Amino acid sequence: GDSVTQMEGPVTLSEEAFLTINCTYTATGYPSLFWYVQYPGEGLQLLLKATKADDKGSNKGFEATYRKETTSFHLEKGSVQVSDSAVYFCALSMGTGNQFYFGTGTSLTVIP
Amino acid sequence: NAGVTQTPKFRVLKTGQSMTLLCAQDMNHEYMYWYRQDPGMGLRLIHYSVGEGTTAKGEVPDGYNVSRLKKQNFLLGLESAAPSQTSVYFCASNRGINTGELFFGEGSRLTVL
């Protein structure tokens, strides 16, 4: 079935370091792909998305490219800040019922 | 802008008690979902609805019931709570378009003793 596998954490980085969180997916069709972020004590909010192959989603300095050939949607940021400390979820959605499938989440802590 | 609102935010139950979580959205979204979030498990879909009067089972539906009598509301019920249902519950909604995003509530933390 459809699923998402993402890099396990936790990840701890120093401020201004480069961030990569790996995400790969399995899907029978052509899913839309998403990255959600969850700050402490809050619900999930959309960070970025891509709806077709080779699309690049970007927001707040984060980027991810929909790679059909490697079934991947890795999240990257060139220079992280303390305020980026959160849990990041990769997700995909398919058509019928618009069901969403989430990865297990990757906790990121950025230290000054 | 209220978006998706969940009530209550916190609740403590004893084993065997029942309760209902209410989710309300003001975006006229067709689709609504209930997820539970547990450490190391990510989000797991409990039930969802693709429109008023419809419901469907998700990945982990056992022990839960839902109703969608009004388009804007999606209720999650626990008839006889068990400690395994201790979790954080999230409601979400979606316009129903394939590329659309999920909008989440702030979560409801439930503890079953």
Side-chain angles (χ1 to χ4, degrees):
Chain A
D2 300 329
S3 66
V4 172
T5 302
Q6 69 180 96
M7 167 179 159
E8 291 195 14
V11 174
T12 302
L13 294 173
S14 297
E15 206 165 22
E16 299 184 2
F18 183 84
L19 169 71
T20 300
I21 301 178
N22 291 338
C23 172
T24 57
Y25 68 89
T26 301
T28 52
Y30 300 97
S32 296
L33 301 174
F34 305 82
W35 277 100
Y36 281 84
V37 58
Q38 183 181 32
Y39 298 104
E42 298 183 9
L44 281 72
Q45 53 187 278
L46 180 69
L47 180 59
L48 54 85
K49 72 176 184 181
T51 59
K52 61 183 187 296
D54 299 325
D55 268 2
K56 177 185 283 189
S58 61
N59 186 26
K60 300 181 180 179
F62 291 89
E63 293 183 341
T65 301
Y66 188 166
R67 301 283 188 203
K68 183 167 175 286
E69 63 276 12
T70 55
T71 62
S72 65
F73 193 54
H74 305 320
L75 182 68
E76 296 182 337
K77 187 175 185 182
S79 176
V80 294
Q81 305 300 312
V82 172
S83 57
D84 294 327
S85 297
V87 180
Y88 293 81
F89 291 90
C90 186
L92 70 82
S93 75
M94 295 297 294
T96 304
N98 231 31
Q99 292 206 36
F100 285 72
Y101 299 89
F102 286 84
T104 53
T106 301
S107 175
L108 169 67
T109 301
V110 180
I111 55 177
Chain B
N1 295 334
V4 179
T5 303
Q6 295 180 226
T7 52
K9 298 281 191 294
F10 302 93
R11 185 74 187 269
V12 178
L13 289 177
K14 294 180 180 178
T15 297
Q17 287 185 319
S18 63
M19 75 157 295
T20 300
L21 295 175
L22 170 64
C23 176
Q25 53 95 4
D26 62 1
M27 296 173 282
N28 201 35
H29 284 174
E30 289 295 329
Y31 291 10
M32 296 186 75
Y33 309 77
W34 276 107
Y35 288 90
R36 59 178 289 174
Q37 183 181 29
D38 302 291
M41 306 283 290
L43 278 87
R44 293 182 291 170
L45 181 64
I46 305 171
H47 286 279
Y48 65 101
S49 167
V50 300
E52 181 179 313
T54 74
T55 63
K57 294 180 180 180
E59 182 185 359
V60 289
D62 294 342
Y64 305 94
N65 57 74
V66 287
S67 64
R68 182 103 181 265
L69 298 179
K70 293 182 179 181
K71 185 177 183 178
Q72 64 268 33
N73 295 337
F74 194 31
L75 278 64
L76 178 70
L78 285 72
E79 290 185 347
S80 180
S84 60
Q85 295 178 304
T86 294
S87 187
V88 180
Y89 292 86
F90 286 98
C91 177
S93 70
N94 174 273
R95 284 187 296 167
I97 298 173
N98 188 35
T99 58
E101 69 192 80
L102 283 176
F103 292 81
F104 282 86
E106 294 184 347
S108 298
R109 182 174 293 277
L110 174 65
T111 301
V112 183
L113 302 175

